[in-house]
């Protein structure tokens, strides 16, 4: 599962509002739910095979199901069976005996059905229970979370066809325990079952499920019945169905079908979006020493998905943000869409083939999927790209201090959905990166291979991973797992340096200042002295450790953690000269990234800092170029004089569109009319990012011209260009531009809405027509209510209050009542 992008975005937006309110909040008493030990579900019975026959009632949003579920006692003989079945009507429950259904007694509390079997069964006997039922997902009160905004398992999208421009679709979302809303099962990750799903749907639609399409039969009544068979066992939460108007594009990988299901409008871009999938399947298969295990791999994109994407076995489901045109993809280097595609694919091994045995052990699914993004980035785009990706992970985790107390393997949580956090994902991915560095690539991947092969079609937990890595490497890893998997937090590491010229002695003092025990840290320390680089291996085992060594000359640089693999909050007390040396001599992305950050702070006082920033404008890795462009302080004469010609060149010639766009942005802020032609030329680019930057830059020089240019892009604009058109209008426009701005905001992605919010609110304040202003107020209030659960309420309330003040001053009070009402709702506690 890749969690919802919007949630992350809104999360960052609300962080400001939240941190303000958190300061006043009284300490919360510990939630009693946190005291519960979340044990791995006991296996009384094992699922063996699940056969479903389903059809849909679009009007009622019901699914009529018949199920034949085969089970056997796990170990102890039993005469009863409990199945998860959430919010259903259960009509018949029977045991299948010689082809006949013999009714069984059962009790049902709307969540779990307890069935009395016809006799006691032993674990060498299997039996089949028949259930006739109706699933009513919309009537089931399910609780969502940040990661998965809803949990009703089965979703009817626009079932009556009343929503304009939205297709009619059905899709499912199992993780964590939503599958039991649409079929009775033991809805736990430590169950595995083969399955067969027969779906009767309107004949005009396409279906998708796990495994292979075994048969299709057109019925006389305008429907068709598709039978899907999943012949290798998998967990109930990985079951999936999708129904709708999708166009299928087919590729192959080693003779297996690789297919992409898209809305017809996006089907022409199927290969632009997903076409690299077979290449990734090959790379992961080879890296892991285990070939892609399922008989096909499909990816489908649906509307109104409740999270980012989901790795259903052999049939991954994506939210619609992954859809993009060829032109939009010109600006996507390894963005959200592509990283999600590889993330879900890696889950087909880590998650689907070997499954976390409980949500407490979610790390063996999600940390791997997270790590796989870095793996692909470094393979496809180079080591710098991989290192940049894992550094984003580290910063993401470190920026959330409240996660410091969460163990990676966690037996106490409030809700299982809480496991889908930056500890399980980004911290876990960073830990695997460290582990790979410690063991070396070959031993690490050999260990993963052992883990996958020993636990194939079964479950795993962190201990099985440890044992497999120990078997491969011959090294004990208890110390590593104890501190990183079964412990919380991270080192807060201070590094200081002292050179004694008299004795030619270099001292490096390492201090860990976090609460609790010291982390054991194996560290590579690179010493650059006299034109040579020498590596020292050092184990930090105490809260304070010193490394003392002789050097013939004062080292130009002592580079602690030479492989830049450590997850730590680090304060590295290097001088700027040392950072500058590091930029030009140490080899890694993070070496240069740290140096650019240090130099950015000293541009006005130190020439060495300016030298780093200017050099980094042409760094060999594009993200560092962008960092340097953003960091360059163009109000400093020296920086500006040196940077301007470089920026002009980058703006026109750099092969990377995002570097071009960043350079144009930076030049735009100079408001130099001499650059007008450069910006106008950039408007001819195919890249929306470049065009958007150019339009923004022109707007700063000549707002009137930008307004008229924006008009010409209203129709064919997307991404950054659309954003620039909207910003141009919102900043300089009036009632004439309002309908375009309004509809773009209203129908926009949360990202667009969020980016536009500030200028949008200002524009509403300026509008002459009170009716337009009222529209605007309503749309902001709707946005606030929709994302109130992420904590944005107070922030949106403040924006609305600002609009009220501006409009009241201008003599229009017609929106005031609506604003007061919305503000009260937004400030009320979320329920
Ligand atoms: Zn995932």
């Amino acid at each position: 599962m890749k969690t919802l992008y919007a949630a992350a975005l809104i999360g960052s937006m609300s962080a400001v509002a939240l941190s303000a309110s958190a300061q006043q909040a009284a300490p919360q008493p510990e939630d009693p739910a946190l005291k519960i030990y979340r044990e791995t579900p006991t296996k009384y019975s094992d699922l063996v095979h699940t056969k479903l026959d389903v059809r849909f009632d679009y009007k009622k949003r019901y699914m009529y199901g018949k199920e034949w579920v085969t089970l056997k006692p796990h170990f102890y003989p039993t005469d009863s069976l409990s199945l998860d079945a959430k919010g259903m009507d259960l009509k018949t429950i029977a045991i299948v005996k010689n082809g006949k259904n013999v009714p069984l007694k059962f009790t049902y509390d709307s969540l779990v059905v307890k069935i009395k079997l016809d006799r006691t069964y032993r674990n060498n006997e299997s039996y089949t229970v028949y259930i006739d039922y109706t699933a009513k997902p919309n009537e089931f009160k399910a609780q969502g979370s940040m990661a998965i905004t809803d949990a009703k398992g089965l979703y009817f999208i626009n079932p009556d066809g009343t929503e304009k421009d939205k297709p009619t679709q059905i899709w499912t979302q199992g993780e964590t325990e939503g599958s039991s809303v649409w079929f009775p099962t033991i809805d736990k990750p430590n169950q595995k079952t083969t399955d067969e799903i027969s779906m009767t749907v309107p004949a005009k639609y396409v279906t998708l499920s796990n495994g292979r399409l075994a048969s299709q039969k057109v019925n006389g009544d305008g429907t068709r019945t598709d039978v899907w068979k999943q012949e290798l066992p998998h967990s109930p939460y990985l079951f999936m169905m999708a129904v709708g108007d999708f166009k299928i594009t087919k590729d192959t990988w080693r003779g297996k079908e690789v297919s992409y299901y898209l809305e017809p409008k996006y089907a022409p871009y199927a290969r632009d979006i997903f076409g690299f999938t077979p290449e990734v399947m090959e790379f992961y298969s080879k890296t892991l020493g285990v070939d892609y295990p399922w008989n096909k791999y499909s990816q489908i994109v649906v509307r109104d998905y409740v999270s980012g994407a989901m790795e259903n076995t052999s049939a991954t489901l994506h939210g619609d943000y992954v859809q993009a045109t060829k032109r939009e993809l010109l600006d996507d280097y390894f963005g959200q869409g592509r990283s999600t595609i590889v993330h879900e694919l890696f889950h087909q091994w880590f998650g689907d083939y070997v499954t976390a045995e409980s949500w407490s052990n979610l790390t063996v699914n999600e940390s791997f999927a997270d790590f796989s993004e870095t793996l692909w980035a470094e393979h496809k785009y180079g080591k710098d790209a991989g290192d940049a990706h894992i550094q984003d992970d580290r910063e993401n985790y470190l920026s959330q201090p409240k996660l410091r107390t969460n163990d990676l393997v966690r037996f106490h949580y409030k809700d299982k959905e809480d496991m889908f956090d930056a500890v399980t994902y980004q911290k876990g991915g960073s830990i695997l990166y460290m582990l790979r560095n410690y063991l070396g690539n070959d031993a690490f991947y050999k260990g993963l291979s052992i883990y996958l092969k020993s636990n194939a079609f079964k479950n795993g937990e962190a201990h099985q991973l440890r044992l497999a890595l120990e078997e491969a490497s011959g090294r004990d890893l208890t110390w590593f797992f104890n501190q990183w998997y079964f412990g919380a937090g991270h080192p807060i590491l201070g590094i200081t340096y002292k050179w004694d010229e008299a004795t030619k002695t270099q001292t490096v003092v390492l201090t860990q200042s976090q609460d609790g025990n010291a982390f054991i840290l194996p560290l590579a320390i690179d010493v650059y002295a006299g034109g040579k680089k020498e590596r020292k291996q050092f184990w930090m085992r105490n809260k304070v450790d010193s490394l003392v060594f002789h050097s013939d000359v004062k080292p130009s640089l002592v580079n602690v953690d030479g492989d830049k693999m450590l997850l730590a909050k680090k304060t590295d007390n290097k001088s700027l000269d040392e950072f500058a040396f590091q930029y030009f001599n140490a080899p890694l992305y993070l070496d240069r990234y740290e140096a650019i950050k240090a130099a950015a702070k000293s541009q006005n006082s130190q020439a060495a800092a300016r030298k780093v920033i200017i050099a980094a404008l042409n760094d060999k890795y594009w993200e560092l170029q962008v960092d340097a462009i953003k960091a360059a302080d163009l109000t400093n004469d020296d920086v500006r004089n040196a940077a301007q010609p470089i920026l002009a060149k980058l703006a026109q010639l750099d092969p990377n569109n995002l570097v071009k766009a960043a350079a144009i942005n930076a030049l735009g802020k100079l408001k130099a009319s001499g650059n007008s032609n450069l910006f106008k030329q950039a408007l001819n680019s195919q890249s929306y990012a470049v065009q958007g930057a150019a339009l923004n830059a022109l707007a700063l020089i000549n707002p009137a011209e930008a307004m008229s240019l924006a008009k010409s892009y209203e129709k064919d604009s997307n991404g950054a260009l659309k954003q620039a058109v909207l910003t141009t209008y919102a900043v300089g426009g009036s009632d004439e531009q309002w309908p375009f701005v309004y509809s773009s905001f209203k129908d926009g992605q949360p990202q667009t809405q969020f980016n536009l919010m500030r200028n949008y609110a200002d524009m509403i304040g300026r509008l002459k027509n009170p009716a337009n202003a009222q529209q605007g107020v309503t749309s902001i209030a709707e946005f606030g209510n929709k994302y109130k659960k992420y904590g944005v309420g107070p922030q949106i309330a403040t924006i609305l209050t600002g609009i009220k003040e501006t409009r009241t001053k201008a003599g229009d009070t017609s929106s005031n009542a609506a604003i007061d009402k919305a503000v009260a709702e937004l400030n009320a506690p979320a329920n």
Side-chain angles (χ1 to χ4, degrees), residues 1-2 309 311 343-344 347 365-366 369 425:
M1 151 105 8
K2 183 99 169 190
E311 68 272 18
H343 175 116
E344 304 308 331
H347 270 312
N365 291 5
E366 293 301 348
Y425 284 73

Side-chain angles (χ1 to χ4, degrees), residues 6 10 750 753 782-793:
I10 305 301
Q753 296 177 312
E782 278 169 2
F783 175 89
N785 280 322
K786 189 166 175 193
Y787 298 110
K788 188 181 164 186
K789 59 189 161 195
Y790 303 120
V792 301

Side-chain angles (χ1 to χ4, degrees), residues 278-447:
E279 191 189 344
V280 192
M281 292 170 82
E282 182 67 21
F283 171 62
Y284 285 165
S285 296
K286 284 214 170 110
T287 303
L288 295 170
V290 176
D291 289 344
Y292 174 80
W294 314 104
N295 58 0
K296 66 126 191 318
Y297 188 55
S298 301
Q299 295 175 83
I300 188 165
V301 182
V302 302
R303 291 292 187 103
D304 295 353
Y305 183 49
V306 286
S307 188
M310 179 64 208
E311 68 272 18
N312 310 298
T313 310
S314 79
T316 285
L317 187 145
H318 291 278
D320 60 6
Y321 70 91
V322 79
Q323 282 176 164
T325 64
K326 213 181 184 76
R327 277 191 66 193
E328 288 172 293
L329 288 165
L330 289 176
D331 300 332
D332 183 329
Y333 290 87
F334 186 52
Q336 190 72 14
R338 285 179 183 151
S339 65
T340 302
I341 289 168
V342 303
H343 175 116
E344 304 308 331
L345 178 52
F346 207 69
H347 270 312
Q348 300 295 322
W349 287 264
F350 288 89
D352 299 2
Y353 188 59
V354 180
T355 307
E357 68 162 28
S358 72
W359 306 118
S360 295
N361 285 286
L362 189 60
T363 177
V364 298
N365 291 5
E366 293 301 348
S367 302
F368 278 106
D370 181 90
F371 174 69
S372 76
E373 299 170 26
T374 293
L375 204 52
W376 175 252
E378 65 190 20
H379 171 76
K380 182 69 181 175
Y381 305 100
K383 179 151 174 60
D384 282 344
D387 288 355
H389 199 80
I390 202 72
Q391 179 62 14
D392 283 349
D393 277 4
R394 294 183 193 118
E395 290 181 2
N396 182 324
Y397 157 71
L398 290 170
S399 71
Q400 301 180 59
K402 67 179 195 309
L403 297 181
R404 224 170 28 209
T405 51
N406 288 356
D407 294 350
L408 181 55
V409 178
R410 207 175 316 155
F411 296 101
H412 297 272
Y413 50 72
K414 224 169 106 174
D415 188 292
K416 52 195 181 319
E417 311 290 341
D418 299 344
M419 291 301 299
F420 295 77
D421 65 4
V423 172
T424 300
Y425 284 73
Q426 285 83 359
K427 185 187 180 189
S430 307
I431 289 170
L432 288 169
Y433 190 89
M434 282 192 288
L435 195 48
R436 184 181 66 167
N437 178 273
Y438 173 63
L439 296 174
N441 283 7
D442 291 350
F444 178 75
Y445 294 125
K446 176 86 189 297

